[in-house]
Amino acid sequence: LGELATSFSLVLLPECDSTNSRLLADPPPDDGLIHVLATDLQTAGRGRRGRVWQSWPGAGLTFSALWRFAPGAPVPAGLSLVAGLAVARALEELGVEGVQLKWPNDVLIHGKKLAGILVELIPGRGRTPAAVVGIGINLHLPPDAGVEYPTGVTDLAHCLAVPPGSNQLLGRVLAQLYRLFDLYAAAGFTALRGAWQQRNAFADLPVRIVGEAEELTGICAGVDEDGALLLQTQGGLRRVLSGEVSLRLA
Ligand code: ATP
């Protein structure tokens, strides 16, 4: 991580149930470092709303980082978008083409899911909450992986002749997270909105929002300065907050 090295503490475990769960259950001290927990194999990886993130030995990079923001930093509503953008930039640095972001928390390559992000907050007792940012990136999925996702799944072995090692990938993603979270803490999502929208997988496409009592359909019109999804519906422009909803092609 070059000049960033002193900012991080890194723990590598050969195996772990869920790196997010570990950091949430036993948060490391508030010592000014960014604490990172990475593992070669997650045995109980989680997605949103009780979904499962699947891993196999040697098949991917899974890690979580605990970020503490300075008092007064913006409420971290758009953090999963910022984390997605950091993953996209790290992949692009490695020469991956066609990286797309699917609101609010997925990284796709040519429409297929390559990486997932799970941001969970630790309440800060009146202060800005800390964020546990969990990231899973597929490097070499086993041929019989059998993961199902509405748009399909992929791995870096399908994108690059020589995929990076997991340590190299981890270093790149952490460096990008560090830069983008710093910008986000200083100026909010506004400064990153354009970069996110350039990679929006569903830009101008008909989509539906699932997971709410009322299913919404419309044209995906990007995101606003808070990272909320903008949906052009027959009834006008609607703003959708991430929380517990999912986006699907209509
Ligand atoms: P959406 O927002 O599209 O509803 P999600 O963001 O809620 O999806 P996540 O919680 O990020 O989904 O990830 C869990 C989902 O990702 C699983 O339900 C499964 O479909 C898919 N998945 C699980 N493991 C992998 C993997 N290794 N690679 C790609 N996709 C996976």
Side-chain angles (χ1 to χ4, degrees), residues 12-243:
L12 296 171
L13 294 177
E15 193 176 307
C16 172
D17 49 359
S18 146
T19 54
N20 261 40
S21 298
R22 288 279 181 108
L23 288 183
L24 286 168
D26 189 13
D30 187 0
D31 52 9
L33 298 177
I34 293 161
H35 289 266
V36 179
L37 178 62
T39 186
D40 284 334
L41 181 63
Q42 270 198 146
T43 53
R46 296 186 289 112
R48 297 189 306 155
R49 287 184 284 165
R51 290 181 185 151
V52 171
W53 181 261
Q54 289 182 242
S55 310
W56 301 261
L61 169 66
T62 46
F63 72 95
S64 301
L66 178 69
W67 235 273
R68 289 189 169 90
F69 293 91
V75 178
L79 273 189
S80 57
L81 283 78
V82 182
L85 186 56
V87 173
R89 289 209 169 150
L91 295 171
E92 288 160 1
E93 280 178 355
L94 291 164
V96 181
E97 291 175 2
V99 184
Q100 298 171 309
L101 297 170
K102 174 174 163 283
W103 185 90
N105 66 332
D106 291 338
V107 180
L108 311 182
I109 305 276
H110 302 306
K112 296 181 175 175
K113 184 158 171 172
L114 176 90
I117 290 160
L118 179 66
V119 175
E120 297 178 289
L121 300 181
I122 302 178
R125 282 191 291 276
R127 296 175 292 132
T128 304
V132 174
V133 180
I135 296 181
I137 304 175
N138 297 327
L139 284 168
H140 305 267
L141 286 176
D144 56 351
V147 191
E148 286 185 25
Y149 193 69
T151 59
V153 298
T154 191
D155 60 18
L156 280 182
H158 279 88
C159 310
L160 292 172
V162 184
S166 50
N167 288 351
Q168 186 193 3
L169 185 58
L170 175 63
R172 297 258 181 187
V173 175
L174 286 176
Q176 285 293 342
L177 275 174
Y178 186 82
R179 288 194 189 97
L180 298 189
F181 276 10
D182 210 32
L183 265 174
Y184 178 79
F189 187 66
T190 313
L192 303 171
R193 182 182 172 204
W196 196 94
Q197 300 207 117
Q198 276 172 15
R199 296 166 178 82
N200 181 2
F202 292 173
D204 302 321
L205 292 175
V207 291
R208 63 198 165 91
I209 301 287
V210 296
E212 282 197 318
E214 169 209 18
E215 188 173 299
L216 265 180
T217 54
I219 302 294
C220 177
V223 291
D224 72 5
E225 57 285 345
D226 295 322
L229 182 79
L230 297 174
L231 196 64
Q232 190 64 57
T233 70
Q234 287 191 333
L237 194 63
R238 294 276 295 263
R239 198 171 165 264
V240 184
L241 296 172
S242 63

